[in-house]
Amino acid sequence: MAVSSKRIDFNRTPLRRRVIASAIVIFWVCASAASVAQPDTVLRLGNPGEPQTLDPHRYNLRLEETLLTDLFMGLTTFAADGSTIPGVASSWQVSDDGLRWTFKLRPDLIWSDGQPLTADDFVFAYRRLQAPATAASLAYFMYPLKNAAAVNAGKMPGAALGVSAPDPRTLILELEQPYPHLLETLLYPTAYPLPRHAIEAHGDNWVKAENWVSNGAYRLQEWRPQAYVQLTANPHYDPAPAITEVFYYPLANEQTAYNRYRAGEVDAIATFPSGELAYAKRELSTDLRSSVQLSIMYLVFNTRVEPFSDPRVREALAMMMQPEVLTDKVQRSGNLASRSFVPAMVSDYEPVPGPQYQLSLPERLSRGKMLLAEAGYSASRPLEITLRYISGGETKRTALAIAAFWKPLGVKTQLHQAELKVHFADLRQGDFQVAQAGWIGENNAEHYLSLLISDTGDVNYGGFADNQFDALMAAARQEADLAERNRLLRLADERAVGLYPVVPMYSLGVRRLVNPKLRGWQNTPRDVHPVRFLSLEP
Amino acid sequence: MTRYLSIRLLLTLITFWVIVTLVFFLLRLAPGGPFDGERRLPPEVEQNLRVAYNLDQPLPRQYLNYLSMLGHGDLGPSFKQKDFSVAELVISGLPVSLAVGVMALLIALTGGIALGTWAGLNTGTKTDLLIMGTANIGLAVPAIVVAPLLALVFAVWLGWLPAGGIGGPQYFLLPAAALSLPFVAAIARLTRGSVAETLQEPHITTAMAKGLPRRRIIRYHVLPIALLPVLSYIGPAAAALLTGSVVVEQIFELPGIGRYFVQAALNRDYTLVMGVVIVYAAFILLFNLLVDVCYARLDPRIRLRS
């Protein structure tokens, strides 16, 4: 006879109560451990990913720049509002031809280990940056220096580089061509001084925390891979910063960053899911800091191949672009619509909007249809194209909206997605018809326009080539006077927009959440927030 | 037994070599390289990078170089995490992944056995239906759904546990729970069936007839027999848990090796992907080998046949 299992009443055993009781104890212990109070000189920041290096010559990412800005200081540096101010240089002079810059260093400069910092440390650093063995992927940031490209290619010795130190407090930079944006270039890690004594003593291991030497407000305390980078105040930095300790957490996952911010585990995060923007605007309005980054997202046509070798086809498609619809209706994530290729935030420059926007939308539609008909397309022979976009929710919605813009023209658009690496690898090889592309750049128009110069190389993704545009850009680059330079750049800009090699769409919005107790935080166009300007209210 | 062991060991090593070779070439077949990005790299610079990482050599040569490096126990430099070697990264990440895996295994075993026994003792009742229904959901819902829910409830709403990162043991609880759920469900199902079956055995009827207390019957007569199938499941489950934390490590920002795996693959960080694959492969092969050896010890037919 089988025994019915129902007769054994497991439910009455006290075991269950013990389990519940111990679970409660575990939770209580965890809950109390999780809420240990932090002193208010410790700042916990979210960085959008894990740094790949803290060597200023090997870095490649914005999130590394964030850390390096706290660790080092160049000849110039960022002010709290993001503008350029003198760093370790106290003054400088430029020769009349704009080719020779003489910098005077501040007296009594010292490294975080107490060693003196001299102009020699700059000479050492600039030669190391260009040495082929360093394999610095951003060495070209300093190509304005005389012979820099040749030294980097191994065609000239490091001593030929246009940098010299006649005395410990004087640094002379000689340039290849006049470059009025030099002070801005000197803000970046590629222009920092490096501790020659530490690098010569430890080789590639100088970046380890135990060997670390830097000259900024902070020095490296500990780097636990994928967990945090901990910085502590540099005892030799004057004035001493209010925040004595900073933890940078690599928060690559936007949702986790958002959760950790809301759980009070971090004081500021670099971004959060765009879908939470409406909630954040409502419930976290004192924490939300939205701004727009110096950047341009655009569509690029492959002008080497049919059908986009025909300017009429490019113009017809550009006619239908509606940047405001993309940012305000489709994305709604804080991006700023742009009608010009040079972002509106670039200072001292009036951007040139695409000529199509002088027409109303119905006029643009009929002009677009006319252009396509002239180019030989009709209802029986429609234009069929493939639009490439980078994998992602927002980029996909954007691509769908663009396909919808083009539909009234009778254009049939196929969408093709690829992850970021593959997308840009294809673009660099010219393996596309029309694609989403982007450039996050510096505060000068030349930076963006040079993407369209015919000999720029593979980041001129579409292979755009126009002699008149090239000539105007070359003339601008020879000009030492900033106003005249910008006037020539604007002529080049006007020439380019009329040929529609690209269709500008928007500048990237920044959605940050910042603890309202954090003082000194300012929205800046380059989205830099040096920690030495910040403090925490108790 | 020695013969059987040496054959198994040799097969394991061959499998390991095949995995290393496959992954090495598959990685290089993937479009894009470690130095591709949005930013412009002048040809001189790209060439400097290729030389620095030996990528300027022909592929077969690169492969032989890698094997020889591996033979010396060197996993090489990371292409992207430039301040650390692959070995340093693995040493820093592996304990975290192991801790989550072991904690998840403990949760899966205790939770799964308790729930399964409870359901098995109450087959056909509402309790059974509830537990098994929940278990089916647990099996069907992936960690990528469960993990954010757990974070939302226990970290953001209740504030009991951290939403992510690393620190004391409390940081491991949510990831381990999310990781263990499907395994709790699987073990509960196994245990339930096996408990219900054991209850039908004549020796249980005898024990009942003798008037033994119910708890004694369950503890000494039902569970030891009913748990045998669970024991044979622990091998594959342990391998799956120790290597399966890729998703939860992403969601809870845990610094384990699973996170390197995803990021390294996206970055085409060839050496780091290889390093993580090698560690994962070693674990899976090791657990399989252990299971084989255990079976061979328990069942003479296996070792005699070989």
Side-chain angles (χ1 to χ4, degrees):
Chain A
M1 186 194 88
V3 179
S4 163
S5 56
K6 283 179 200 166
R7 287 189 210 151
I8 301 175
D9 192 358
F10 184 70
N11 293 336
R12 285 207 195 118
T13 60
L15 181 70
R16 193 172 56 141
R17 257 167 275 154
R18 283 210 301 266
V19 169
I20 294 172
S22 42
I24 291 172
V25 169
I26 289 173
F27 272 125
W28 179 77
V29 169
C30 295
S32 53
S35 57
V36 177
Q38 294 271 3
D40 46 20
T41 58
V42 178
L43 189 62
R44 299 152 308 157
L45 298 174
N47 217 4
E50 170 83 346
Q52 295 177 345
T53 180
L54 290 178
D55 185 329
H57 289 172
R58 306 178 88 187
Y59 96 101
N60 202 26
L61 301 174
R62 268 307 304 274
L63 62 95
E64 292 156 357
E65 224 166 84
T66 305
L67 283 152
L68 291 168
T69 304
D70 289 331
L71 289 166
F72 288 91
M73 183 175 284
L75 293 164
T76 54
T77 189
F78 292 109
D81 65 358
S83 60
T84 309
I85 53 171
V88 300
S90 54
S91 63
W92 51 80
Q93 287 177 317
V94 196
S95 65
D96 289 341
D97 59 4
L99 291 176
R100 188 183 163 95
W101 293 64
T102 309
F103 291 86
K104 209 75 191 151
L105 302 190
R106 284 186 346 213
D108 311 322
L109 290 171
I110 34 181
W111 292 102
S112 58
D113 61 350
Q115 296 281 326
L117 190 164
T118 67
D120 253 340
D121 289 314
F122 280 95
V123 177
F124 168 77
Y126 291 6
R127 287 183 185 163
R128 179 180 184 262
L129 175 73
Q130 301 300 347
T134 309
S137 63
L138 299 183
Y140 70 93
F141 275 21
M142 294 297 277
Y143 276 6
L145 285 187
K146 193 175 173 193
N147 296 334
V151 172
N152 194 226
K155 289 175 192 151
M156 275 190 182
L161 191 66
V163 57
S164 56
D167 68 70
R169 279 195 55 207
T170 308
L171 185 74
I172 295 175
L173 301 184
E174 286 175 89
L175 308 190
E176 197 78 43
Q177 286 184 337
Y179 192 60
H181 305 294
L182 185 71
L183 294 177
E184 190 188 341
T185 301
L186 297 178
L187 288 168
Y188 291 93
T190 41
Y192 290 157
L194 289 189
R196 178 177 195 159
H197 58 286
I199 295 176
E200 284 176 349
H202 303 291
D204 280 349
N205 278 330
W206 78 276
V207 288
K208 302 279 184 199
E210 61 269 24
N211 304 328
W212 184 264
V213 178
S214 56
N215 73 327
Y218 296 89
R219 60 190 166 90
L220 179 64
Q221 183 68 33
E222 191 196 355
W223 179 355
R224 184 158 179 202
Q226 300 277 7
Y228 54 78
V229 180
Q230 183 190 2
L231 314 183
T232 49
N234 172 359
H236 298 290
Y237 185 85
D238 187 41
I243 302 287
T244 57
E245 217 174 306
V246 197
F247 285 87
Y248 276 100
Y249 297 100
L251 304 180
N253 183 318
E254 291 189 345
Q255 185 64 48
T256 310
Y258 187 60
N259 287 348
R260 292 193 69 181
Y261 181 82
R262 288 180 64 196
E265 293 167 26
V266 285
D267 294 309
I269 53 174
T271 184
F272 59 93
S274 60
E276 301 286 351
L277 187 61
Y279 177 87
K281 275 184 176 160
R282 215 168 50 239
E283 304 291 331
L284 300 166
S285 58
T286 51
D287 307 48
L288 181 65
R289 307 291 180 99
S290 319
S291 60
V292 179
Q293 214 178 344
L294 266 168
S295 58
I296 189 72
M297 305 305 284
Y298 58 96
L299 286 183
V300 54
F301 296 118
N302 191 346
T303 61
R304 304 174 193 90
V305 293
E306 290 273 324
F308 296 112
S309 47
D310 186 340
R312 289 172 299 190
V313 176
R314 303 199 297 262
E315 186 179 349
L317 295 189
M319 281 292 147
M320 301 311 292
M321 176 55 69
Q322 297 159 62
E324 294 79 8
V325 174
L326 288 183
T327 54
D328 303 345
K329 299 280 194 303
V330 178
Q331 301 167 335
R332 288 190 287 185
S333 58
N335 295 333
L336 179 73
S338 179
R339 295 179 164 199
S340 60
F341 189 50
V342 176
M345 299 83 79
V346 168
S347 37
D348 304 326
Y349 188 82
E350 194 195 332
V352 183
Q356 72 268 44
Y357 299 113
Q358 291 165 3
L359 304 174
S360 70
L361 192 59
E363 286 168 342
R364 280 150 59 189
L365 176 60
S366 55
R367 175 157 175 83
K369 280 182 173 168
M370 187 193 78
L371 286 164
L372 281 187
E374 277 177 19
Y377 298 97
S378 61
S380 56
R381 183 177 173 258
L383 176 62
E384 292 183 29
I385 53 175
T386 303
L387 168 62
R388 281 179 178 254
Y389 67 95
I390 306 159
S391 307
E394 184 171 295
T395 43
K396 181 174 185 176
R397 278 183 284 129
T398 307
L400 283 167
I402 293 165
F405 292 161
W406 290 338
K407 210 173 170 202
L409 292 174
V411 175
K412 289 187 175 170
T413 311
Q414 290 255 335
L415 297 184
H416 177 100
Q417 68 156 338
E419 50 132 327
L420 185 118
K421 281 251 155 190
V422 178
H423 182 85
F424 282 103
D426 286 346
L427 256 58
R428 288 149 64 98
Q429 285 166 14
D431 181 16
F432 69 102
Q433 284 194 310
V434 50
Q436 291 180 0
W439 200 256
I440 301 174
E442 287 162 58
N443 191 12
N444 68 66
E446 189 182 336
H447 204 78
Y448 302 89
L449 292 173
S450 62
L451 293 175
L452 299 175
I453 298 176
S454 62
D455 64 359
T456 281
D458 51 12
V459 285
N460 179 355
Y461 303 119
F464 177 68
D466 178 65
N467 291 336
Q468 200 179 330
F469 174 79
D470 285 358
L472 285 165
M473 288 299 289
R477 283 179 159 183
Q478 290 294 338
E479 186 54 59
D481 177 59
L482 192 59
E484 177 58 15
R485 198 174 168 106
N486 277 339
R487 191 188 69 82
L488 289 167
L489 286 175
R490 204 161 184 283
L491 289 178
D493 199 349
E494 277 168 5
R495 170 72 189 168
V497 293
L499 294 168
Y500 301 99
V502 292
V503 191
M505 296 192 290
Y506 54 92
S507 294
L508 288 169
V510 180
R511 306 179 292 276
R512 280 182 181 272
L513 290 173
V514 178
N515 184 346
K517 286 182 177 170
L518 193 56
R519 293 287 153 204
W521 186 285
Q522 301 189 26
N523 280 349
T524 62
R526 257 183 286 228
D527 200 29
V528 288
H529 311 276
V531 174
R532 66 179 187 277
F533 299 119
L534 306 179
S535 61
L536 269 172
E537 258 180 22
Chain B
M1 189 68 183
T2 324
R3 192 178 132 79
Y4 172 76
L5 256 184
S6 41
I7 292 176
R8 290 298 314 160
L9 205 61
L10 185 70
L11 281 176
T12 303
L13 283 176
I14 293 175
T15 316
F16 186 70
W17 170 73
V18 170
I19 293 172
V20 169
T21 307
L22 269 179
V23 176
F24 183 91
F25 286 103
L26 277 177
L27 264 177
R28 278 152 179 84
L29 278 179
F35 312 122
D36 289 338
E38 282 165 85
R39 281 180 164 169
R40 157 192 187 179
L41 278 190
E44 307 91 69
V45 173
E46 186 146 358
Q47 184 57 22
N48 291 342
L49 281 166
R50 294 193 157 273
V51 172
Y53 289 100
N54 287 327
L55 287 179
D56 56 330
Q57 295 173 352
L59 201 54
R61 185 67 189 274
Q62 290 181 36
Y63 171 67
L64 289 179
N65 279 349
Y66 188 78
L67 281 192
S68 121
M69 215 166 63
L70 209 56
H72 292 91
D74 185 1
L75 294 173
S78 164
F79 280 37
K80 287 286 165 178
Q81 297 306 123
K82 296 163 202 156
D83 297 359
F84 296 93
S85 72
V86 172
E88 282 174 324
L89 292 173
V90 168
I91 288 168
S92 128
L94 192 59
V96 176
S97 294
L98 287 183
V100 176
V102 168
M103 203 182 232
L105 188 63
L106 290 179
I107 297 176
L109 283 175
T110 46
I113 291 173
L115 289 172
T117 310
W118 197 357
L121 295 173
N122 297 287
T123 41
T125 63
K126 278 183 187 158
T127 316
D128 177 31
L129 222 65
L130 188 73
I131 294 177
M132 283 304 113
T134 318
N136 278 334
I137 296 174
L139 269 177
V141 182
I144 202 164
V145 177
V146 175
L149 273 177
L150 289 178
L152 190 66
V153 174
F154 290 100
V156 179
W157 289 351
L158 298 173
W160 289 357
L161 290 165
I166 185 89
Q170 73 271 19
Y171 285 84
F172 292 96
L173 223 65
L174 286 182
L179 184 59
S180 67
L181 275 186
F183 295 89
V184 172
I187 292 176
R189 286 171 61 94
L190 265 178
T191 312
R192 173 192 177 270
S194 163
V195 163
E197 203 177 301
T198 312
L199 284 175
Q200 313 290 327
E201 298 283 336
H203 74 274
I204 303 294
T205 317
T206 312
M208 302 277 299
K210 274 188 357 193
L212 281 180
R214 276 177 288 242
R215 280 183 59 195
R216 226 182 127 77
I217 297 178
I218 298 167
R219 188 175 288 178
Y220 295 106
H221 299 283
V222 178
L223 282 184
I225 299 173
L227 288 186
L228 280 177
V230 176
L231 284 182
S232 61
Y233 177 69
I234 291 180
L241 282 170
L242 295 181
T243 60
S245 50
V246 175
V247 171
V248 297
E249 283 178 17
Q250 295 287 328
I251 292 170
F252 290 102
E253 304 278 359
L254 266 180
I257 56 172
R259 261 181 97 189
Y260 295 135
F261 193 44
V262 176
Q263 286 185 2
L266 290 176
N267 282 332
R268 306 284 185 276
D269 188 341
Y270 297 147
T271 41
L272 187 51
V273 175
M274 292 297 299
V276 177
V277 167
I278 284 167
V279 172
Y280 279 167
F283 267 102
I284 292 170
L285 292 173
L286 186 74
F287 277 104
N288 281 338
L289 191 67
L290 281 179
V291 170
D292 285 351
V293 171
C294 289
Y295 278 178
R297 274 198 73 84
L298 294 173
D299 190 344
R301 284 171 303 180
I302 296 177
R303 57 176 187 265
L304 289 179
R305 237 195 336 240
S306 72

